[in-house]
Amino acid sequence: MLTLVKKERLVFISVLIATSSLLVIERLTSIEINNNLILFFLVFTVIGNLSLIISQYLFGELSKKYIILLLLIVFSVCLGVAVLTWTNNWKTQAILYRNSKHPRQTIEYRMRSKYGYGFEKQLIRKKEYCPILTI
């Protein structure tokens, strides 16, 4: 039987805090994670970590089969929700302005499809800090 010692609990809780804070920042501010795989990984990590912590406190020792089954259930639920709620990604149609001193700061015209019902359009001011993180 597997049991979590104090160090492992601290690692689980610190990973939970780090990943959930990234998700909260992404959802509540203008910062967006524009890589769907990284976003899926963050959601899976938060939910899987939380379910393991709760299971450890409720049932004590956890077997390997229970942990694998729990993580497979969490993965399939996250994948199902991701597939059912997925919307098209925003695609840049034109860059209207690029800052000459800071070339990673732009004003862009973006669109995404509404699956046969037209397009959603937006003008955004974008600051790219790394390839997967933009504000």
Side-chain angles (χ1 to χ4, degrees), residues 54-121:
I54 290 171
S55 295
Q56 176 68 30
Y57 282 118
L58 290 178
F59 305 122
E61 295 182 12
L62 304 175
S63 67
K64 285 184 181 181
K65 288 181 182 179
Y66 179 81
I67 293 172
I68 291 170
L69 180 65
L70 182 68
L71 291 179
L72 281 174
I73 290 171
V74 168
F75 182 80
S76 62
V77 167
C78 287
L79 186 64
V81 169
V83 167
L84 291 175
T85 61
W86 180 76
T87 59
N88 264 345
N89 293 334
W90 290 100
K91 304 289 185 196
T92 300
Q93 302 299 314
I95 296 176
L96 303 175
Y97 172 77
R98 183 179 304 271
N99 192 334
S100 60
K101 291 184 181 179
H102 306 285
R104 291 185 167 208
Q105 293 181 4
T106 58
I107 295 177
E108 298 180 357
Y109 176 70
R110 301 193 315 180
M111 295 172 65
R112 73 176 173 189
S113 174
K114 288 177 157 181
Y115 303 108
Y117 297 108
F119 292 96
E120 291 180 276
K121 303 168 188 165

Side-chain angles (χ1 to χ4, degrees), residues 32-51:
E32 62 182 35
I33 298 173
N34 46 354
N35 188 335
N36 290 335
L37 291 175
I38 291 176
L39 196 58
F40 179 81
F41 174 74
L42 287 175
V43 171
F44 171 71
T45 304
V46 167
I47 295 173
N49 218 345
L50 191 61
S51 62

